[in-house]
């Protein structure tokens, strides 16, 4: 997909990876980007900054809780009204709170499912759209186990499985929509600096051994995944030590599931 002239929605776009993806899309010539977030003040500040740099008519902020379908419907509806179309959805909103694990699963995992199917209603060629791309922000912990934040890891693992599977659901191909997941290692973001776990001391010691990527590294890779049609139904990993690459499902399991 050529990003120039296209329109995107970025959830959790007020800061961190979402903010970086938004700026990368604007640099690539996106016609418009709607940032959604529950951090309203930060979201408005981000939009004000980008409006000065890239044209105030190309970026807008909407307060929205990704777990509430009615609010996300408003986001899609208003984005299409403002910019004339919707082509890209970046599912990026997330938290890490092992005590409020049900809420975390709803934000990090279940909302992505709801909003992916909602995107089909606005992006799908059978629904008057032009097709599009959905990029899901998972995590390295979606690919490997983690005993310190197990529910977070489980939710991120669910995102990997969903992206690999839903991309080949007939509804997606029939509506010309691609879906893929990106799985970053440690990234220097607000969520990484405010993890709520049952084992904070252990987590702090583990974090001291990590080298974080900057959010714009992830933003650049997201752009690559949007632009290149080969990224469909896949999960891409990138860490300080592991270069950006596709991680295939275990071959033996894949063969059994399709036999």
């Amino acid at each position: 997909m050529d990003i120039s002239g296209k329109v995107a929605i970025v959830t959790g776009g007020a800061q961190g990876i979402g903010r970086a993806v938004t700026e990368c899309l604007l640099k690539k010539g996106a016609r418009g980007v709607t940032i959604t977030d529950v951090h309203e003040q930060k979201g408005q500040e981000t939009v004000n900054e980008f409006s000065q740099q890239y044209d105030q008519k190309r970026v807008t902020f909407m307060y929205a809780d990704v777990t509430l379908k009615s609010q996300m419907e408003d986001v899609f509806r208003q984005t299409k009204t403002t910019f004339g179309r919707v082509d890209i959805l970046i599912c990026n909103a997330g938290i890490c709170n092992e005590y409020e694990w049900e809420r975390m699963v709803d934000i990090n995992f279940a909302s992505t499912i709801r909003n992916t199917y909602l995107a089909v209603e606005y992006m799908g060629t059978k629904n008057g759209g032009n097709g599009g791309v959905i990029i899901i922000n998972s995590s390295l912990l979606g690919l490997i186990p983690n005993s310190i934040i197990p529910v977070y890891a489980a939710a991120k693992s669910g995102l990997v499985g969903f992206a690999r599977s839903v991309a080949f659901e007939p509804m997606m191909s029939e509506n010309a929509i691609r879906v893929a997941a990106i799985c970053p290692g440690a990234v220097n973001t607000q969520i990484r600096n405010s993890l709520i776990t049952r084992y904070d001391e252990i987590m702090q010691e583990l974090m001291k051994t990590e080298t974080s990527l900057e959010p714009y590294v992830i933003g650049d890779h997201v752009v690559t995944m949007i632009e290149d049609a080969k990224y469909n139904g896949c999960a891409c990993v990138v860490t300080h030590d592991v270069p950006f690459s596709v991680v295939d499902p275990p071959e033996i399991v894949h063969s059994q599931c399709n036999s």
Side-chain angles (χ1 to χ4, degrees), residues 77-153:
R77 189 181 304 112
Q78 187 59 46
T79 299
K80 191 166 186 178
T81 299
T82 301
F83 298 114
R85 57 193 292 158
V86 181
D87 306 282
I88 300 164
L89 172 64
I90 309 297
C91 295
N92 171 71
I95 64 169
C96 183
N97 187 328
E98 289 287 316
Y99 290 100
E100 297 184 13
W101 62 266
E102 290 172 305
R103 175 170 168 261
M104 180 167 64
V105 169
D106 200 10
I107 293 172
N108 292 13
F109 178 53
S111 72
T112 296
I113 298 173
R114 284 192 294 269
N115 294 327
T116 293
Y117 287 124
L118 181 59
V120 176
E121 298 178 23
Y122 287 85
M123 292 163 50
T125 53
K126 285 191 170 183
N127 298 315
N130 300 287
V133 180
I134 300 171
I135 302 296
I136 296 170
N137 185 17
S138 179
S139 168
L140 176 64
L141 300 188
L143 300 169
I144 60 175
N146 187 287
S147 60
I148 306 304
I149 44 176
V151 180
Y152 180 86

Side-chain angles (χ1 to χ4, degrees), residues 138-146 152-161 164 182-184 235 237 247:
S138 179
S139 168
L140 176 64
L141 300 188
L143 300 169
I144 60 175
N146 187 287
Y152 180 86
K156 293 297 187 176
S157 177
L159 292 178
V160 171
R164 285 171 169 168
I182 188 164
C183 302
V237 67
V247 178

Side-chain angles (χ1 to χ4, degrees), residues 23 26-27 49-56 58-59:
E23 183 159 23
L26 292 169
K27 286 181 177 179
E49 181 180 338
F50 287 163
S51 294
Q52 293 177 4
Q53 293 178 339
Y54 300 103
D55 183 351
Q56 62 180 359
R58 293 175 59 203
V59 59

Side-chain angles (χ1 to χ4, degrees), residues 120 124-127 167 169-177:
V120 176
T125 53
K126 285 191 170 183
N127 298 315
E169 183 178 352
M171 180 194 305
M172 295 299 168
S173 58
E174 291 169 0
N175 280 283
I177 294 174

Side-chain angles (χ1 to χ4, degrees), residues 12-15 19 22 33-52 56 59-64:
Q15 54 194 335
R19 185 186 192 282
T22 298
V33 181
T34 297
I35 293 173
T36 78
D37 212 301
V38 294
H39 301 289
E40 189 164 10
Q41 181 177 345
K42 192 66 178 178
Q44 291 290 358
E45 290 172 357
T46 297
V47 165
N48 291 341
E49 181 180 338
F50 287 163
S51 294
Q52 293 177 4
Q56 62 180 359
V59 59
T60 186
F61 172 79
M62 289 187 67
Y63 176 92

Side-chain angles (χ1 to χ4, degrees), residues 96-99 148-150 194-204 207:
C96 183
N97 187 328
E98 289 287 316
Y99 290 100
I148 306 304
I149 44 176
S194 59
L195 305 176
I196 300 175
T197 81
R198 291 181 170 84
Y199 313 98
D200 287 343
E201 290 185 9
I202 298 174
M203 177 59 74
Q204 291 301 319
M207 290 171 64

